[in-house]
Amino acid sequence: MKLTGKWIATSALIIGLAGLAGCSPSATEPKAASNDAPADQSLELIEIIARPAGESATGVARPAHPADAVELAIRTKGRTKGADLAVKMIALADGSTVATDKLRLNAGNAAAPRFQFEPRDTWPTGRYLFEVMLDGKLAGSQELEIFPADDVAPSP
């Protein structure tokens, strides 16, 4: 049987490709990090909830009133270690900053950090905007309205 150069080259190519297909990375080669690993994800805000302090996270919260402490609950996902959250409470009636707070995230407070704002005397009625900054950049916002307190208690 006479072997031609074309046949030899094709055979060598097939043998070479078959050898490569069986190769796997050695144990000493570093593996690429998986994109699914939580440690590799950057921090992301999922939800911001503004409500009167002490209200349940599930269900419908009661309206906020001037004497209420106000709570801001934040749900996050991703890598949190060392991330900085800052919150600013702004009165929309005049644009003034009413309160601020900040928090450095760690393993103990990362999944659902909370901020609580107490009124000095009472909050003026009206709408408020909570701006949430993550590492110095605006990451989200949420509004809350403070309603007047009922002057008359309901009769029994």
Short mmCIF file of all heavy atoms in Angstrom, two decimals, residues 56-88:
data_model
loop_
_atom_site.label_atom_id
_atom_site.label_comp_id
_atom_site.label_asym_id
_atom_site.label_seq_id
_atom_site.Cartn_x
_atom_site.Cartn_y
_atom_site.Cartn_z
N SER A 56 -43.39 45.02 60.78
CA SER A 56 -42.98 43.76 60.17
C SER A 56 -42.46 43.98 58.76
O SER A 56 -42.96 44.84 58.03
CB SER A 56 -44.18 42.80 60.13
OG SER A 56 -43.89 41.68 59.35
N ALA A 57 -41.47 43.18 58.37
CA ALA A 57 -40.92 43.27 57.02
C ALA A 57 -41.89 42.69 55.99
O ALA A 57 -41.80 42.97 54.82
CB ALA A 57 -39.60 42.54 56.95
N THR A 58 -42.81 41.85 56.46
CA THR A 58 -43.80 41.28 55.55
C THR A 58 -45.14 41.95 55.82
O THR A 58 -45.40 42.44 56.91
CB THR A 58 -43.93 39.76 55.75
OG1 THR A 58 -44.32 39.52 57.11
CG2 THR A 58 -42.61 39.07 55.47
N GLY A 59 -45.98 41.97 54.85
CA GLY A 59 -47.30 42.57 55.02
C GLY A 59 -47.27 44.07 54.79
O GLY A 59 -46.25 44.65 54.43
N VAL A 60 -48.38 44.70 55.03
CA VAL A 60 -48.52 46.14 54.81
C VAL A 60 -48.20 46.88 56.11
O VAL A 60 -48.77 46.60 57.15
CB VAL A 60 -49.97 46.48 54.35
CG1 VAL A 60 -50.13 47.96 54.17
CG2 VAL A 60 -50.29 45.72 53.08
N ALA A 61 -47.26 47.80 56.04
CA ALA A 61 -46.88 48.58 57.22
C ALA A 61 -47.91 49.69 57.43
O ALA A 61 -48.51 50.20 56.49
CB ALA A 61 -45.50 49.19 57.02
N ARG A 62 -48.11 50.05 58.69
CA ARG A 62 -49.00 51.16 58.99
C ARG A 62 -48.34 52.46 58.54
O ARG A 62 -47.12 52.52 58.37
CB ARG A 62 -49.32 51.19 60.48
CG ARG A 62 -48.14 51.55 61.34
CD ARG A 62 -48.56 51.75 62.80
NE ARG A 62 -47.40 51.99 63.64
CZ ARG A 62 -46.75 53.14 63.70
NH1 ARG A 62 -47.12 54.16 62.98
NH2 ARG A 62 -45.70 53.28 64.50
N PRO A 63 -49.12 53.52 58.36
CA PRO A 63 -48.53 54.81 57.95
C PRO A 63 -47.60 55.35 59.04
O PRO A 63 -47.80 55.10 60.22
CB PRO A 63 -49.74 55.72 57.78
CG PRO A 63 -50.91 54.82 57.68
CD PRO A 63 -50.58 53.57 58.42
N ALA A 64 -46.60 56.10 58.63
CA ALA A 64 -45.68 56.75 59.56
C ALA A 64 -46.30 58.05 60.04
O ALA A 64 -46.95 58.77 59.27
CB ALA A 64 -44.35 57.01 58.88
N HIS A 65 -46.10 58.34 61.32
CA HIS A 65 -46.63 59.57 61.94
C HIS A 65 -45.48 60.40 62.49
O HIS A 65 -44.36 59.90 62.65
CB HIS A 65 -47.63 59.21 63.04
CG HIS A 65 -48.83 58.48 62.53
ND1 HIS A 65 -49.76 59.05 61.68
CD2 HIS A 65 -49.25 57.21 62.71
CE1 HIS A 65 -50.70 58.17 61.39
NE2 HIS A 65 -50.41 57.04 61.99
N PRO A 66 -45.72 61.68 62.81
CA PRO A 66 -44.64 62.59 63.22
C PRO A 66 -43.78 62.12 64.40
O PRO A 66 -42.60 62.42 64.45
CB PRO A 66 -45.37 63.89 63.56
CG PRO A 66 -46.58 63.86 62.68
CD PRO A 66 -46.99 62.41 62.65
N ALA A 67 -44.33 61.39 65.36
CA ALA A 67 -43.56 60.96 66.53
C ALA A 67 -42.83 59.64 66.32
O ALA A 67 -42.05 59.21 67.17
CB ALA A 67 -44.48 60.86 67.74
N ASP A 68 -43.05 58.97 65.18
CA ASP A 68 -42.46 57.65 64.92
C ASP A 68 -40.97 57.73 64.60
O ASP A 68 -40.53 58.61 63.86
CB ASP A 68 -43.14 56.97 63.73
CG ASP A 68 -44.55 56.53 64.01
OD1 ASP A 68 -44.89 56.34 65.19
OD2 ASP A 68 -45.31 56.38 63.03
N ALA A 69 -40.23 56.76 65.12
CA ALA A 69 -38.89 56.52 64.60
C ALA A 69 -39.08 55.86 63.23
O ALA A 69 -40.04 55.13 63.01
CB ALA A 69 -38.12 55.59 65.54
N VAL A 70 -38.20 56.15 62.32
CA VAL A 70 -38.31 55.62 60.96
C VAL A 70 -37.15 54.66 60.72
O VAL A 70 -36.01 54.93 61.09
CB VAL A 70 -38.27 56.77 59.93
CG1 VAL A 70 -38.28 56.24 58.52
CG2 VAL A 70 -39.43 57.72 60.16
N GLU A 71 -37.47 53.53 60.10
CA GLU A 71 -36.47 52.50 59.83
C GLU A 71 -36.30 52.33 58.33
O GLU A 71 -37.27 52.34 57.59
CB GLU A 71 -36.92 51.18 60.46
CG GLU A 71 -36.00 50.02 60.19
CD GLU A 71 -36.51 48.75 60.82
OE1 GLU A 71 -37.43 48.14 60.25
OE2 GLU A 71 -36.00 48.39 61.89
N LEU A 72 -35.06 52.14 57.91
CA LEU A 72 -34.75 51.85 56.53
C LEU A 72 -34.07 50.49 56.50
O LEU A 72 -33.00 50.31 57.08
CB LEU A 72 -33.82 52.93 55.96
CG LEU A 72 -33.66 52.92 54.45
CD1 LEU A 72 -34.96 53.34 53.78
CD2 LEU A 72 -32.55 53.84 54.04
N ALA A 73 -34.72 49.50 55.88
CA ALA A 73 -34.19 48.15 55.77
C ALA A 73 -33.70 47.96 54.34
O ALA A 73 -34.38 48.32 53.39
CB ALA A 73 -35.25 47.12 56.12
N ILE A 74 -32.52 47.37 54.21
CA ILE A 74 -31.91 47.20 52.90
C ILE A 74 -31.54 45.73 52.73
O ILE A 74 -30.92 45.14 53.60
CB ILE A 74 -30.65 48.08 52.77
CG1 ILE A 74 -31.03 49.54 52.97
CG2 ILE A 74 -29.96 47.84 51.44
CD1 ILE A 74 -29.84 50.46 53.09
N ARG A 75 -31.93 45.15 51.60
CA ARG A 75 -31.52 43.78 51.26
C ARG A 75 -30.43 43.88 50.20
O ARG A 75 -30.57 44.63 49.23
CB ARG A 75 -32.69 42.96 50.73
CG ARG A 75 -33.60 42.47 51.80
CD ARG A 75 -34.61 41.50 51.29
NE ARG A 75 -34.62 41.47 49.82
CZ ARG A 75 -35.11 40.50 49.09
NH1 ARG A 75 -35.68 39.48 49.64
NH2 ARG A 75 -35.09 40.54 47.77
N THR A 76 -29.37 43.09 50.40
CA THR A 76 -28.25 43.11 49.47
C THR A 76 -27.93 41.71 49.00
O THR A 76 -28.39 40.72 49.58
CB THR A 76 -27.00 43.69 50.16
OG1 THR A 76 -26.60 42.82 51.22
CG2 THR A 76 -27.24 45.08 50.69
N LYS A 77 -27.10 41.63 47.96
CA LYS A 77 -26.52 40.35 47.55
C LYS A 77 -25.14 40.63 47.00
O LYS A 77 -24.86 41.72 46.51
CB LYS A 77 -27.41 39.62 46.55
CG LYS A 77 -27.22 40.00 45.11
CD LYS A 77 -28.00 39.08 44.19
CE LYS A 77 -27.66 39.39 42.75
NZ LYS A 77 -28.39 38.59 41.80
N GLY A 78 -24.28 39.62 47.12
CA GLY A 78 -22.93 39.75 46.61
C GLY A 78 -21.91 39.93 47.72
O GLY A 78 -22.21 39.77 48.90
N ARG A 79 -20.70 40.28 47.35
CA ARG A 79 -19.58 40.44 48.28
C ARG A 79 -19.77 41.71 49.10
O ARG A 79 -19.90 42.80 48.56
CB ARG A 79 -18.28 40.51 47.50
CG ARG A 79 -17.05 40.72 48.34
CD ARG A 79 -15.79 40.76 47.48
NE ARG A 79 -15.95 41.41 46.20
CZ ARG A 79 -15.81 42.72 45.99
NH1 ARG A 79 -15.53 43.52 46.97
NH2 ARG A 79 -15.95 43.22 44.79
N THR A 80 -19.79 41.58 50.41
CA THR A 80 -20.11 42.72 51.26
C THR A 80 -18.95 43.19 52.13
O THR A 80 -18.98 44.29 52.62
CB THR A 80 -21.27 42.36 52.21
OG1 THR A 80 -20.89 41.23 52.97
CG2 THR A 80 -22.53 42.10 51.44
N LYS A 81 -17.95 42.35 52.31
CA LYS A 81 -16.89 42.69 53.25
C LYS A 81 -16.22 44.01 52.88
O LYS A 81 -15.71 44.18 51.78
CB LYS A 81 -15.85 41.58 53.30
CG LYS A 81 -14.82 41.81 54.37
CD LYS A 81 -13.88 40.65 54.50
CE LYS A 81 -12.89 40.92 55.61
NZ LYS A 81 -11.96 39.84 55.77
N GLY A 82 -16.26 44.94 53.83
CA GLY A 82 -15.61 46.22 53.64
C GLY A 82 -16.39 47.24 52.83
O GLY A 82 -15.90 48.34 52.61
N ALA A 83 -17.59 46.94 52.41
CA ALA A 83 -18.40 47.91 51.66
C ALA A 83 -18.95 48.96 52.62
O ALA A 83 -19.27 48.66 53.77
CB ALA A 83 -19.54 47.21 50.94
N ASP A 84 -19.06 50.19 52.16
CA ASP A 84 -19.60 51.28 52.97
C ASP A 84 -20.97 51.68 52.46
O ASP A 84 -21.13 51.97 51.27
CB ASP A 84 -18.68 52.50 52.92
CG ASP A 84 -17.37 52.26 53.65
OD1 ASP A 84 -17.41 51.71 54.76
OD2 ASP A 84 -16.31 52.64 53.11
N LEU A 85 -21.96 51.70 53.36
CA LEU A 85 -23.30 52.20 53.05
C LEU A 85 -23.50 53.50 53.78
O LEU A 85 -23.13 53.62 54.95
CB LEU A 85 -24.37 51.21 53.51
CG LEU A 85 -24.70 50.03 52.64
CD1 LEU A 85 -25.80 49.18 53.27
CD2 LEU A 85 -25.13 50.46 51.25
N ALA A 86 -24.09 54.46 53.12
CA ALA A 86 -24.45 55.73 53.75
C ALA A 86 -25.87 56.07 53.33
O ALA A 86 -26.26 55.83 52.19
CB ALA A 86 -23.49 56.84 53.33
N VAL A 87 -26.64 56.62 54.26
CA VAL A 87 -28.03 56.99 53.99
C VAL A 87 -28.24 58.44 54.36
O VAL A 87 -27.76 58.91 55.39
CB VAL A 87 -29.00 56.10 54.81
CG1 VAL A 87 -30.44 56.54 54.58
CG2 VAL A 87 -28.84 54.65 54.43
N LYS A 88 -28.96 59.13 53.49
CA LYS A 88 -29.33 60.52 53.73
C LYS A 88 -30.84 60.62 53.67
O LYS A 88 -31.45 60.16 52.70
CB LYS A 88 -28.69 61.42 52.67
CG LYS A 88 -28.90 62.90 52.91
CD LYS A 88 -28.45 63.78 51.76
CE LYS A 88 -27.04 63.56 51.31
NZ LYS A 88 -26.64 64.51 50.26
#
